Amino acid sequence: DIQMTQSPSSLSASVGDRVTITCRTSQTISRYLNWYQQKPGKAPNLLIYAASSLQSGVPSRFSGSGSGTDFTLTISSLQPEDFATYYCQQSYSTPWTFGQGTKVEIK
Amino acid sequence: EVQLVESGGGLVQPGRSLRLSCAASGFTFDDYAMHWVRQAPGKGLEWVSYISWNSGNLDYADSVKGRFTISRDNAKNSLYLQMNSLRAEDTALYYCVKSSAPKERDYGGNSDFDYWGQGTLVTVSS
């Protein structure tokens, strides 16, 4: 199984901050990496697919980069509605695994 | 508008069975593979099972293999998860999830999950 390691596990940031979350995989997955946002009590929402493609309807302040084993989700200017937990997920090989999540909290 | 509505969750004793359902609408159901993903209370996401558009290809997480069975009825736009021999560790919110890749580009489930239901809670406890 491909192991997914996100860092940090949590972070505190202020509105307007640039935020970066990292996801590292235990083996190379090309660009088969997706990012989801989950708010409390809600289902996850797809933000980025194929490492850097923005899902329709997702604000452009979200961006993704990386390939191989190292990937990044960046929020260019954190907004109040962005406080949530973020998960990476690999779609390279079954079982389809997720990172443990990064909780973004208000500073 | 894509909608996925799960049902069938509840409180069940260890060793018993439960069948989850997911009613899909807003897209051509038989064009897409589907998945079940679960989330234990306060924990992260865990993929559970996959089914191809025509039920010809099935896949399971090791944690549920041999106990859970995924199925679909394209005529009813519905997805199912039969869960047998339930354990306490199966306690979770179960999400019905749509694969983003249409059937021509689905290779065993290797795509992102573009739509999620709101989930149905399964609690396994005596």
Side-chain angles (χ1 to χ4, degrees):
Chain A
D1 297 5
I2 297 175
Q3 309 304 315
M4 314 287 289
T5 304
Q6 285 183 234
S7 60
S9 295
S10 65
L11 64 90
S12 295
S14 301
V15 172
D17 285 353
R18 182 181 182 89
V19 169
T20 299
I21 299 169
T22 296
C23 180
R24 177 163 289 176
T25 60
S26 61
Q27 63 188 75
T28 185
I29 62 167
S30 185
R31 295 175 60 82
Y32 288 87
L33 193 285
N34 313 302
W35 290 97
Y36 301 86
Q37 176 194 65
Q38 186 178 33
K39 297 180 180 179
K42 299 294 187 182
N45 181 49
L46 177 66
L47 298 176
I48 301 286
Y49 62 94
S52 61
S53 295
L54 193 67
Q55 175 69 354
S56 176
V58 174
S60 58
R61 62 182 180 273
F62 291 94
S63 65
S65 65
S67 66
T69 60
D70 293 291
F71 301 87
T72 300
L73 173 70
T74 299
I75 310 173
S76 60
S77 178
L78 198 65
Q79 297 302 299
E81 59 268 30
D82 301 336
F83 292 94
T85 299
Y86 294 84
Y87 294 93
C88 60
Q89 176 246 335
Q90 62 84 17
S91 50
Y92 182 80
S93 68
T94 183
W96 318 113
T97 45
F98 292 85
Q100 81 279 14
T102 295
K103 187 173 185 178
V104 176
E105 298 175 303
I106 302 172
K107 181 182 283 185
Chain B
E1 178 194 5
V2 171
Q3 288 197 3
L4 299 167
V5 180
E6 303 94 336
S7 60
L11 174 63
V12 61
Q13 293 179 328
R16 304 297 291 265
S17 300
L18 208 57
R19 188 195 197 208
L20 305 184
S21 299
C22 170
S25 62
F27 65 103
T28 305
F29 184 67
D30 58 8
D31 272 353
Y32 293 90
M34 298 292 294
H35 299 259
W36 288 98
V37 174
R38 69 184 180 183
Q39 186 169 35
K43 302 297 184 182
L45 300 166
E46 179 188 17
W47 170 79
V48 173
S49 186
Y50 152 89
I51 186 168
S52 62
W53 68 278
N54 63 353
S55 306
N57 192 3
L58 311 178
D59 195 12
Y60 301 92
D62 284 346
S63 58
V64 306
K65 201 170 292 184
R67 300 187 299 122
F68 289 12
T69 302
I70 191 171
S71 62
R72 65 191 292 163
D73 185 336
N74 287 344
K76 294 183 178 179
N77 287 353
S78 293
L79 176 71
Y80 307 100
L81 186 67
Q82 177 67 41
M83 304 185 295
N84 298 333
S85 304
L86 281 161
R87 306 167 180 167
E89 54 265 36
D90 295 320
T91 294
L93 188 63
Y94 284 74
Y95 292 105
C96 169
V97 182
K98 174 184 169 292
S99 179
S100 71
K103 58 189 177 186
E104 308 83 49
R105 290 194 288 112
D106 174 54
Y107 305 108
N110 64 330
S111 74
D112 49 275
F113 305 147
D114 62 350
Y115 288 95
W116 300 59
Q118 286 306 300
T120 186
L121 181 62
V122 173
T123 303
V124 184
S125 174
S126 54

